[in-house]
Amino acid sequence: MNTYWLEHAWLGDRVESGVVVDLVPPDAPGPVPADEELGDGTRAPGPVPPGHLLAVRTGVPAPPPGAVRLPGLTLPGLANAHSHAFHRALRATVQVGSGTFWTWRETMYRFAAALTPDSYHALARAVYAEMALAGITAVGEFHYLHHQPDGRPYDNPNAMGEALIAAAADAGIRLTLLDTAYLSSGFGAAPDRHQRRFSDSTADAWAERVSLLRGDSHTLIGAAVHSVRAVPAGQLATVADFARHRDAPLHVHLSEQRAENEACLAATGRTPTQLLADHGVLGPRTTGVHNTHLTDEDITLIGTSGTGTCMCPTTERDLADGIGPAPRLQRAGSPLSLGSDSHAVIDLFEEARALELNERLRTRTRGHWTAAALLRAATADGHAALGRPEAGTLAPGAPADLTTLALDTVRTAGAPPLLGAETAVFAASAADVTHVLVGGRVIVRDGVHVRLPGTGRALAEAVAAVRDGGGR
């Protein structure tokens, strides 16, 4: 048994001081049996698998003998519910001059064309290490770079997806690979030259390829519809059925741009949300990403179906998409999660803060969410959106995924520890993360990634390789 003493811990509805967590070591030979007696008289809720929390005890004023001390505020590991790892190479590059979402997309295509399985692995490994340094223990990778740039499959048709799986394993974080169907460039249009490597031609061919992917203890295989413009209406059900038969998460870019809504209405007479509902895509395993430009009926369809909403406020601001109706969606029944999407920054504390502050700007009123509610979006509800409903909590039986924030930095110092949730959401940044555990293994110690200590250098080298390739 491994034991950690948490100076302060957020337990979902409150901050407690002096919390001890016992966990089954990640290399233990097997689960701890139910009702095994522990030395202090508490009982395990077992059987508890290796790398999971065995017991959580509050009111312990000092570290027990042999316990590892984690000063500051410890949270459940954060969940980044929407990522495009290769977009990290665009940081700063796409901030030169002005432009629109559509001109930004042209730059993105140029970088996408430069990637190979090897360069994608190197870039994603560094990006996932950056996420770990930001306190993220699980990521949903919205993956559509499937084939060679000319559209021909690799000898291994999942070479690019397997590069991402290996990258997450190297970086030590959990991955939900949301393998994405991307079949057309618009309603009734074939993929353009930039998009050939994204396309499997048909949803049936996409499903055949994805069925060859295998998950493991740190990897889940999910599915995604890139958007209603990228998957013909008659093939949406194939993707939805694939996810449903595997009880897998299903994500979709939804109403990010008004132009997409207008094109969908012109082609089908339906809004994107209505079209997804017609073809069985909505539901409690599904998460709509962005959900920005919605009608009242759209909001009702999303909420009553239990479809989730992943907001990516930094990207939505960066691309001038707009501010989505997150409070109305949540009131309608849509759980909220958060993503860093294009990785203009990787900081879920900033994303949580922006969700509230954007809404304050839009409505000119304060207090749409409590700090605890925003942390739930960044933890438990984010993990649930990625197919891990057992994660995102500091409770017996949950995965031993922990993120610790320093409370004595220039950003976090001064507030009482009992306001730790407010400090985390409204003051802290990714730079304040000191320790991260994933499945009981230490991934970040004292602000340094233990597997990739030169993360900044690795990022610079990986981005340069893609940038130089993209310039050819």
Side-chain angles (χ1 to χ4, degrees):
M1 182 176 66
N2 293 343
T3 300
Y4 287 82
W5 180 80
L6 317 179
E7 184 181 21
H8 310 287
W10 181 68
L11 299 182
D13 58 355
R14 69 194 187 284
V15 172
E16 290 272 0
S17 297
V19 175
V20 169
V21 295
D22 301 313
L23 58 96
V24 182
D27 54 359
V32 171
D35 297 328
E36 179 177 326
E37 184 76 24
L38 302 180
D40 61 2
T42 61
R43 288 185 177 273
V48 179
H52 285 63
L53 297 176
L54 192 62
V56 177
R57 292 172 282 148
T58 59
V60 184
V68 177
R69 183 175 182 270
L70 291 181
L73 174 70
T74 296
L75 312 164
L78 307 180
N80 186 356
H82 189 65
S83 163
H84 301 290
F86 78 94
H87 287 191
R88 174 61 178 81
L90 302 176
R91 189 179 293 179
T93 301
V94 289
Q95 304 301 342
V96 177
S98 58
T100 67
F101 170 87
W102 308 102
T103 57
W104 170 91
R105 192 174 69 158
E106 292 301 312
T107 304
M108 179 270 288
Y109 284 156
R110 180 167 61 88
F111 280 84
L115 287 161
T116 66
D118 287 342
S119 64
Y120 204 11
H121 172 264
L123 177 60
R125 178 182 60 188
V127 173
Y128 294 153
E130 182 182 0
M131 290 185 194
L133 289 167
I136 293 163
T137 59
V139 59
E141 183 62 39
F142 201 100
H143 165 56
Y144 54 82
L145 295 180
H146 302 310
H147 308 300
Q148 298 181 62
D150 63 1
R152 288 181 298 124
Y154 289 99
D155 291 340
N156 172 2
N158 285 305
M160 296 293 270
E162 290 178 5
L164 292 167
I165 292 171
D170 290 347
I173 70 172
R174 303 184 191 275
L175 173 70
T176 297
L177 185 68
L178 298 160
D179 196 291
T180 304
Y182 194 135
L183 309 176
S184 67
S185 64
F187 298 92
D192 66 24
R193 63 185 180 86
H194 300 296
Q195 299 161 340
R196 286 195 292 263
R197 76 179 310 181
F198 308 164
S199 179
D200 291 290
S201 299
T202 68
D204 285 333
W206 167 85
E208 182 178 355
R209 177 183 56 74
V210 181
S211 67
L212 300 175
L213 285 164
R214 294 291 179 265
D216 54 37
S217 61
H218 271 56
T219 307
L220 295 177
I221 305 301
V225 170
H226 179 273
S227 56
V228 293
R229 70 176 185 274
V231 177
Q235 300 187 57
L236 288 169
T238 300
V239 183
D241 289 344
F242 178 93
R244 181 168 53 255
H245 291 155
R246 290 160 177 78
D247 196 25
L250 174 62
H251 288 213
V252 54
H253 289 135
L254 180 55
S255 289
E256 181 178 5
Q257 289 284 321
R258 291 189 186 279
E260 178 179 81
N261 286 7
E262 293 164 1
C264 188
L265 282 165
T268 71
R270 310 289 279 162
T271 69
T273 300
Q274 291 168 338
L275 192 66
L276 294 176
D278 290 346
H279 294 278
V281 176
L282 301 185
R285 282 186 310 277
T286 301
T287 297
V289 181
H290 304 304
N291 293 2
T292 306
H293 303 290
L294 303 175
T295 66
D296 291 345
E297 182 183 349
D298 292 341
I299 292 171
T300 298
L301 284 170
I302 291 168
T304 57
S305 65
T307 301
T309 295
C310 178
M311 304 297 289
C312 307
T314 295
T315 293
E316 290 148 8
R317 293 183 297 190
D318 183 36
L319 298 181
D321 288 342
I323 300 171
R328 293 183 62 199
L329 283 161
Q330 190 171 47
R331 287 194 299 270
S334 180
L336 297 183
S337 56
L338 298 168
S340 62
D341 193 0
S342 65
H343 311 316
V345 298
I346 295 177
D347 187 339
L348 284 198
F349 302 110
E350 170 61 23
E351 303 300 340
R353 177 163 55 244
L355 190 63
E356 168 67 23
L357 298 187
N358 284 357
E359 195 63 24
R360 291 182 186 184
L361 279 176
R362 191 182 68 82
T363 63
R364 296 178 298 283
T365 60
R366 304 177 80 223
H368 301 275
W369 293 278
T370 64
L374 293 168
L375 283 179
R376 281 194 295 275
T379 56
D381 288 344
H383 288 288
L386 298 180
R388 303 181 189 276
E390 74 284 0
T393 181
L394 299 183
D401 298 353
L402 311 179
T403 291
T404 301
L405 278 172
L407 294 180
D408 58 358
T409 73
V410 293
R411 288 167 294 278
T412 61
L418 289 179
L419 296 181
E422 288 74 14
T423 299
V425 171
F426 292 105
S429 79
D432 300 313
V433 172
T434 58
H435 288 73
V436 176
L437 277 71
V438 180
R441 298 187 188 278
V442 178
I443 303 301
V444 174
R445 179 183 289 115
D446 296 325
V448 177
H449 196 286
V450 300
R451 300 185 183 183
L452 197 65
T455 304
R457 182 174 64 254
L459 279 164
E461 292 172 354
V463 169
V466 177
R467 182 184 64 239
D468 294 343
R472 288 199 296 269

